[in-house]
Structures are given as C-alpha cells and as structure tokens.
C-alpha cells in the first residue's frame, strides 16, 4: 500500500496498553460514519492482535497496518 493513506480522523493511543487503545477506538468510531477512515497510532504490541480482531468483530476493514520501530500504525475503514 501507499505510504500516504488518507484518513478522516486520527487516534493516538501512544503509551497506553490493552485494553485502553481498543476502548478509545470504540468511543472514536461512535462519532464517525460508515466509509470514514480512522488512523490509529499505537505503541502497545498487543494492538497487532487486538485491532484486527476489533475490525473483524465489528465489520470494519483494516486497510493497512504498519510497524515503524516501537510505533504501530493502522488505517481502518468503518463498516
């Protein structure tokens, strides 16, 4: 995928650990609409497991997942 992914909203969960990033994502997507793209920044390695499960369970599409050092980036299209 391209390095410059467009997104409608950003959620930075850096420094937070499970389950906080997922709880914040639940709150964030409530304010968004289907088709919108949410960019999530995380530092918790557990998000590599939790965010795909979150998307699968709630019918969102994980467009891209990147790892750069200790930072994880996710781009999620809301279902």
């Amino acid at each position: 995928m391209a390095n410059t992914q467009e997104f409608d909203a950003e959620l930075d969960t850096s420094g937070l650990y499970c389950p906080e990033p997922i709880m914040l994502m639940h709150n964030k997507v409530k304010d968004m609409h289907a088709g919108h793209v949410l960019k999530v920044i995380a530092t918790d390695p557990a998000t590599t497991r939790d965010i795909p499960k979150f998307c699968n369970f709630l019918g969102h599409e994980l467009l891209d997942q990147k790892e750069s050092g200790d930072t994880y980036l996710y781009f999620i299209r809301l279902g």
Side-chain angles (χ1 to χ4, degrees):
M1 286 218 162
N3 287 336
T4 53
Q5 174 84 42
E6 289 190 16
F7 56 92
D8 299 291
E10 182 176 291
L11 178 63
D12 187 349
T13 67
S14 297
L16 301 178
Y17 294 93
C18 186
E20 290 176 292
I22 298 300
M23 290 167 54
L24 290 174
M25 286 173 60
H26 273 291
N27 291 337
K28 189 73 173 176
V29 299
K30 286 180 192 172
D31 300 330
M32 297 175 69
H33 301 286
H36 279 182
V37 175
L38 173 62
K39 175 184 178 183
V40 180
I41 304 162
T43 52
D44 181 4
T47 59
T48 61
R49 176 199 65 225
D50 296 341
I51 288 180
K53 283 184 178 179
F54 170 88
C55 293
N56 219 9
F57 187 71
L58 295 172
H60 304 311
E61 181 185 359
L62 183 55
L63 299 173
D64 202 0
Q65 179 175 346
K66 295 183 173 88
E67 189 175 332
S68 176
D70 293 336
T71 302
Y72 304 90
L73 291 180
Y74 304 91
F75 292 89
I76 300 160
R77 178 175 289 125
L78 303 191

